[in-house]
Amino acid sequence: MVYCKTDEEVELIRESSLLVAKTLAEVAKAIRPGIQTVDIDRLAEEYIKDHGALPAFKGYRGFPYTLCISLNAEVVHGMPSDRELKEGDILSVDCGVLKNHFYGDSAYTFPVGLIDESKARLLHVTRECLMMGIAKAIEGYRIGDISSAIQEHAEKNGYGVVRELVGHGIGKNLHESPEVPNYGKKGTGMKLKEGMVIAIEPMINMGRREVREEKDGWTITTKDGLPSAHYEHTVAIRKDKTDVLTTFNYIEEALNK
Ligand code: MG
Ligand code: MG
Protein backbone atom coordinates (compact mmCIF):
# COMPACT_ATOMS: atom_id res chain seq x y z
CA MET A 1 0.00 0.00 0.00
CA VAL A 2 1.27 3.44 -0.92
CA TYR A 3 0.32 6.17 1.50
CA CYS A 4 -0.09 9.67 0.03
CA LYS A 5 0.89 12.36 2.52
CA THR A 6 -1.13 15.45 3.43
CA ASP A 7 0.51 18.86 2.98
CA GLU A 8 1.10 19.01 6.75
CA GLU A 9 2.85 15.65 6.67
CA VAL A 10 5.02 16.70 3.72
CA GLU A 11 6.12 19.74 5.78
CA LEU A 12 7.13 17.47 8.67
CA ILE A 13 9.12 15.28 6.28
CA ARG A 14 10.72 18.47 4.92
CA GLU A 15 11.80 19.41 8.45
CA SER A 16 13.45 16.01 8.94
CA SER A 17 14.95 16.18 5.45
CA LEU A 18 16.50 19.60 6.07
CA LEU A 19 18.05 18.32 9.28
CA VAL A 20 19.61 15.47 7.27
CA ALA A 21 20.94 18.03 4.78
CA LYS A 22 22.48 20.11 7.57
CA THR A 23 23.96 17.02 9.22
CA LEU A 24 25.64 16.12 5.92
CA ALA A 25 27.04 19.67 5.78
CA GLU A 26 28.62 19.06 9.22
CA VAL A 27 30.10 15.88 7.77
CA ALA A 28 31.42 17.89 4.81
CA LYS A 29 33.25 20.25 7.17
CA ALA A 30 34.94 17.33 8.96
CA ILE A 31 36.11 15.32 5.94
CA ARG A 32 39.89 15.49 5.49
CA PRO A 33 42.77 13.05 5.16
CA GLY A 34 43.61 11.46 8.53
CA ILE A 35 40.17 11.58 10.18
CA GLN A 36 38.67 8.25 11.28
CA THR A 37 35.21 7.48 9.91
CA VAL A 38 33.95 6.67 13.41
CA ASP A 39 34.69 10.28 14.40
CA ILE A 40 32.53 11.51 11.53
CA ASP A 41 29.75 9.22 12.76
CA ARG A 42 30.05 10.59 16.29
CA LEU A 43 29.74 14.21 15.24
CA ALA A 44 26.69 13.43 13.10
CA GLU A 45 24.96 11.65 15.98
CA GLU A 46 25.59 14.58 18.32
CA TYR A 47 24.36 17.09 15.77
CA ILE A 48 21.12 15.17 15.15
CA LYS A 49 20.40 14.73 18.87
CA ASP A 50 21.21 18.40 19.58
CA HIS A 51 18.48 19.27 17.07
CA GLY A 52 15.75 17.27 18.75
CA ALA A 53 15.84 14.25 16.48
CA LEU A 54 17.02 10.65 16.44
CA PRO A 55 19.45 9.02 14.01
CA ALA A 56 17.19 6.82 11.87
CA PHE A 57 19.74 4.13 11.05
CA LYS A 58 21.05 3.52 14.59
CA GLY A 59 19.35 0.32 15.75
CA TYR A 60 17.58 -0.18 12.40
CA ARG A 61 17.66 -3.97 11.97
CA GLY A 62 20.53 -3.86 14.46
CA PHE A 63 22.78 -1.40 12.55
CA PRO A 64 25.01 0.09 15.27
CA TYR A 65 25.83 3.54 13.83
CA THR A 66 24.23 6.85 12.85
CA LEU A 67 25.74 6.99 9.36
CA CYS A 68 26.45 4.48 6.66
CA ILE A 69 29.95 5.39 5.48
CA SER A 70 31.10 3.61 2.35
CA LEU A 71 34.63 4.11 1.06
CA ASN A 72 35.76 3.70 -2.59
CA ALA A 73 34.65 0.20 -3.73
CA GLU A 74 32.06 0.04 -0.95
CA VAL A 75 28.67 0.83 -2.45
CA VAL A 76 26.40 1.36 0.58
CA HIS A 77 25.85 0.25 4.20
CA GLY A 78 29.53 0.63 5.12
CA MET A 79 30.31 0.69 8.84
CA PRO A 80 32.09 3.60 10.52
CA SER A 81 35.40 2.39 11.97
CA ASP A 82 38.90 3.47 12.97
CA ARG A 83 39.94 3.55 9.30
CA GLU A 84 41.50 6.87 8.37
CA LEU A 85 40.54 8.77 5.22
CA LYS A 86 43.26 9.26 2.63
CA GLU A 87 43.73 11.91 -0.04
CA GLY A 88 42.06 10.64 -3.24
CA ASP A 89 39.38 8.52 -1.53
CA ILE A 90 35.72 8.93 -2.29
CA LEU A 91 33.36 8.58 0.63
CA SER A 92 29.62 7.92 0.39
CA VAL A 93 27.76 9.08 3.47
CA ASP A 94 24.12 8.10 3.94
CA CYS A 95 22.11 9.75 6.71
CA GLY A 96 18.54 9.47 7.99
CA VAL A 97 16.77 11.14 10.89
CA LEU A 98 13.47 10.71 12.71
CA LYS A 99 11.77 13.85 13.99
CA ASN A 100 8.09 14.48 14.82
CA HIS A 101 7.36 10.85 13.80
CA PHE A 102 8.61 11.41 10.23
CA TYR A 103 11.81 10.36 8.49
CA GLY A 104 14.14 12.14 6.07
CA ASP A 105 16.88 10.36 4.09
CA SER A 106 19.74 11.63 1.92
CA ALA A 107 23.19 10.55 0.74
CA TYR A 108 26.18 12.29 -0.82
CA THR A 109 29.51 11.04 -2.14
CA PHE A 110 32.38 13.30 -1.07
CA PRO A 111 35.87 13.60 -2.53
CA VAL A 112 38.66 13.46 0.06
CA GLY A 113 41.11 16.16 -1.02
CA LEU A 114 42.07 15.86 -4.68
CA ILE A 115 40.62 12.86 -6.51
CA ASP A 116 41.60 11.52 -9.92
CA GLU A 117 39.63 12.40 -13.01
CA SER A 118 37.91 9.01 -13.35
CA LYS A 119 36.47 9.27 -9.83
CA ALA A 120 35.44 12.89 -10.37
CA ARG A 121 33.57 11.84 -13.51
CA LEU A 122 31.81 9.01 -11.64
CA LEU A 123 30.59 11.47 -8.99
CA HIS A 124 29.45 13.95 -11.62
CA VAL A 125 27.52 11.39 -13.68
CA THR A 126 25.92 9.74 -10.62
CA ARG A 127 24.69 13.12 -9.51
CA GLU A 128 23.29 13.73 -13.01
CA CYS A 129 21.53 10.35 -12.78
CA LEU A 130 19.81 11.50 -9.58
CA MET A 131 18.70 14.76 -11.19
CA MET A 132 17.38 12.93 -14.27
CA GLY A 133 15.38 10.58 -12.05
CA ILE A 134 14.02 13.52 -10.09
CA ALA A 135 12.90 15.19 -13.33
CA LYS A 136 10.42 12.29 -13.76
CA ALA A 137 9.13 12.41 -10.17
CA ILE A 138 5.95 14.28 -11.13
CA GLU A 139 2.30 13.20 -11.06
CA GLY A 140 1.38 11.21 -14.16
CA TYR A 141 4.80 9.62 -14.74
CA ARG A 142 5.48 6.07 -13.57
CA ILE A 143 8.18 4.59 -11.34
CA GLY A 144 9.72 3.01 -14.46
CA ASP A 145 10.20 6.48 -15.96
CA ILE A 146 12.43 7.43 -13.01
CA SER A 147 14.24 4.09 -13.16
CA SER A 148 14.91 4.15 -16.90
CA ALA A 149 16.13 7.77 -16.84
CA ILE A 150 18.74 6.81 -14.25
CA GLN A 151 19.76 3.57 -15.95
CA GLU A 152 20.07 5.05 -19.43
CA HIS A 153 22.30 7.90 -18.32
CA ALA A 154 24.58 5.64 -16.24
CA GLU A 155 24.97 2.99 -18.93
CA LYS A 156 25.49 5.56 -21.67
CA ASN A 157 28.51 6.63 -19.66
CA GLY A 158 29.80 3.07 -19.39
CA TYR A 159 28.87 2.54 -15.75
CA GLY A 160 27.14 -0.33 -13.93
CA VAL A 161 23.79 0.20 -12.18
CA VAL A 162 23.41 -1.65 -8.88
CA ARG A 163 20.17 -3.67 -8.89
CA GLU A 164 20.15 -5.34 -5.51
CA LEU A 165 19.38 -2.10 -3.64
CA VAL A 166 16.70 0.42 -4.54
CA GLY A 167 15.05 3.69 -3.56
CA HIS A 168 11.83 3.64 -1.57
CA GLY A 169 8.78 5.40 -0.24
CA ILE A 170 9.38 7.24 3.04
CA GLY A 171 7.24 8.86 5.75
CA LYS A 172 6.30 7.41 9.11
CA ASN A 173 8.56 4.52 8.12
CA LEU A 174 12.11 4.76 6.83
CA HIS A 175 11.28 2.32 4.04
CA GLU A 176 7.76 2.22 2.60
CA SER A 177 6.14 1.22 -0.67
CA PRO A 178 6.83 1.74 -3.50
CA GLU A 179 10.30 0.45 -4.37
CA VAL A 180 12.17 2.82 -6.70
CA PRO A 181 14.73 0.79 -8.68
CA ASN A 182 17.56 2.48 -10.54
CA TYR A 183 16.94 0.33 -13.62
CA GLY A 184 13.77 -0.38 -15.53
CA LYS A 185 11.54 0.38 -18.49
CA LYS A 186 9.82 3.63 -19.39
CA GLY A 187 6.05 3.64 -18.97
CA THR A 188 5.99 0.68 -16.56
CA GLY A 189 5.35 0.39 -12.83
CA MET A 190 3.16 2.35 -10.46
CA LYS A 191 1.71 5.69 -11.56
CA LEU A 192 2.95 8.61 -9.46
CA LYS A 193 0.35 10.60 -7.55
CA GLU A 194 0.45 13.92 -5.73
CA GLY A 195 1.45 13.42 -2.09
CA MET A 196 3.66 10.38 -2.64
CA VAL A 197 7.03 10.87 -0.97
CA ILE A 198 9.96 8.80 -2.21
CA ALA A 199 13.72 8.56 -1.78
CA ILE A 200 15.52 8.37 -5.13
CA GLU A 201 19.03 7.01 -4.72
CA PRO A 202 21.15 5.87 -7.67
CA MET A 203 24.09 3.62 -6.72
CA ILE A 204 26.41 3.66 -9.72
CA ASN A 205 29.57 1.59 -10.20
CA MET A 206 32.56 2.69 -12.26
CA GLY A 207 32.84 -0.87 -13.56
CA ARG A 208 30.45 -3.81 -13.56
CA ARG A 209 27.13 -3.72 -11.75
CA GLU A 210 27.63 -6.84 -9.60
CA VAL A 211 28.01 -6.42 -5.84
CA ARG A 212 28.64 -8.66 -2.86
CA GLU A 213 28.02 -8.47 0.87
CA GLU A 214 31.04 -8.37 3.16
CA LYS A 215 31.47 -10.68 6.16
CA ASP A 216 30.34 -7.94 8.57
CA GLY A 217 26.81 -8.61 7.28
CA TRP A 218 26.29 -4.99 6.22
CA THR A 219 28.84 -3.56 3.82
CA ILE A 220 27.98 -3.93 0.13
CA THR A 221 31.05 -3.83 -2.15
CA THR A 222 31.57 -3.92 -5.91
CA LYS A 223 32.65 -7.38 -7.08
CA ASP A 224 35.29 -5.97 -9.41
CA GLY A 225 36.77 -3.73 -6.71
CA LEU A 226 36.20 -0.52 -8.70
CA PRO A 227 34.74 2.57 -6.99
CA SER A 228 31.02 3.27 -6.57
CA ALA A 229 29.03 6.45 -5.93
CA HIS A 230 25.67 7.16 -4.26
CA TYR A 231 23.52 10.29 -4.13
CA GLU A 232 20.03 10.42 -2.62
CA HIS A 233 17.23 12.94 -2.25
CA THR A 234 13.87 12.62 -0.50
CA VAL A 235 11.21 14.14 -2.80
CA ALA A 236 7.46 14.77 -2.79
CA ILE A 237 5.42 14.22 -5.95
CA ARG A 238 3.36 17.23 -7.07
CA LYS A 239 1.01 17.82 -10.00
CA ASP A 240 3.42 19.69 -12.21
CA LYS A 241 6.75 19.61 -10.40
CA THR A 242 8.97 17.70 -8.01
CA ASP A 243 9.30 19.09 -4.50
CA VAL A 244 12.82 18.13 -3.41
CA LEU A 245 12.67 17.99 0.40
CA THR A 246 16.36 17.37 1.07
CA THR A 247 19.00 19.66 -0.41
CA PHE A 248 22.73 19.61 -1.19
CA ASN A 249 23.01 23.40 -0.80
CA TYR A 250 24.32 23.29 2.79
CA ILE A 251 26.86 20.64 1.82
CA GLU A 252 28.08 22.67 -1.12
CA GLU A 253 28.37 25.85 0.95
CA ALA A 254 30.54 23.88 3.38
CA LEU A 255 32.68 22.35 0.61
CA ASN A 256 33.24 25.66 -1.18
CA LYS A 257 34.50 27.48 1.90
MG1 MG B 1 19.71 6.87 2.58
MG1 MG C 1 17.16 5.63 1.31
Side-chain angles (χ1 to χ4, degrees):
M1 254 287 287
V2 173
Y3 179 71
C4 289
K5 279 74 179 176
T6 64
D7 288 350
E8 291 74 19
E9 289 172 329
V10 169
E11 290 316 308
L12 291 172
I13 298 172
R14 190 190 311 279
E15 194 178 328
S16 300
S17 297
L18 289 177
L19 180 56
V20 172
K22 289 174 181 170
T23 305
L24 287 173
E26 293 303 305
V27 168
K29 290 175 199 166
I31 285 178
R32 55 181 156 74
I35 193 171
Q36 296 181 347
T37 56
V38 74
D39 290 331
I40 296 173
D41 186 73
R42 201 171 296 131
L43 75 86
E45 180 172 356
E46 275 176 25
Y47 188 83
I48 291 166
K49 289 181 173 168
D50 284 349
H51 289 80
L54 290 173
F57 302 165
K58 197 163 186 168
Y60 185 82
R61 295 184 180 166
F63 189 77
Y65 296 100
T66 291
L67 301 175
C68 294
I69 300 185
S70 309
L71 206 54
N72 299 320
E74 296 171 0
V75 180
V76 286
H77 303 168
M79 310 261 275
S81 72
D82 60 3
R83 283 183 307 181
E84 290 181 2
L85 298 184
K86 292 193 309 290
E87 177 100 18
D89 285 339
I90 58 170
L91 185 72
S92 298
V93 181
D94 196 346
C95 180
V97 310
L98 173 62
K99 191 176 182 183
N100 302 317
H101 308 289
F102 285 91
Y103 287 92
D105 190 5
S106 182
Y108 195 93
T109 302
F110 296 92
V112 181
L114 278 180
I115 59 173
D116 69 38
E117 191 137 329
S118 64
K119 281 179 175 167
R121 185 172 162 269
L122 174 68
L123 302 196
H124 181 76
V125 170
T126 304
R127 180 107 173 241
E128 286 180 335
C129 286
L130 172 59
M131 299 323 289
M132 285 175 182
I134 285 175
K136 304 291 181 192
I138 299 172
E139 181 165 282
Y141 283 107
R142 292 177 181 272
I143 293 287
D145 295 319
I146 298 174
S147 307
S148 67
I150 293 170
Q151 180 182 10
E152 275 176 27
H153 191 61
E155 291 181 350
K156 195 174 75 189
N157 280 280
Y159 295 146
V161 177
V162 175
R163 302 196 176 202
E164 289 79 354
L165 300 129
V166 296
H168 50 92
I170 180 167
K172 282 189 176 163
N173 302 288
L174 180 58
H175 297 120
E176 299 183 353
S177 264
E179 288 195 342
V180 186
N182 297 306
Y183 66 96
K185 284 200 173 60
K186 246 179 230 159
T188 66
M190 184 183 291
K191 223 176 193 172
L192 302 174
K193 282 218 307 264
E194 173 145 47
M196 286 173 64
V197 179
I198 56 176
I200 303 176
E201 48 178 317
M203 291 153 247
I204 306 298
N205 297 344
M206 189 184 284
R208 296 179 56 84
R209 68 174 173 82
E210 287 80 11
V211 296
R212 63 188 170 91
E213 189 183 286
E214 294 298 316
K215 288 199 192 76
D216 62 20
W218 284 104
T219 312
I220 304 295
T221 314
T222 60
K223 265 193 184 162
D224 62 13
L226 290 172
S228 184
H230 180 211
Y231 290 87
E232 175 178 28
H233 273 316
T234 295
V235 310
I237 308 297
R238 293 300 186 196
K239 279 214 158 55
D240 44 21
K241 63 166 188 141
T242 321
D243 189 358
V244 182
L245 304 178
T246 44
T247 173
F248 295 150
N249 290 347
Y250 302 114
I251 295 172
E252 259 126 46
E253 271 171 35
L255 291 178
N256 292 330
K257 260 200 186 129

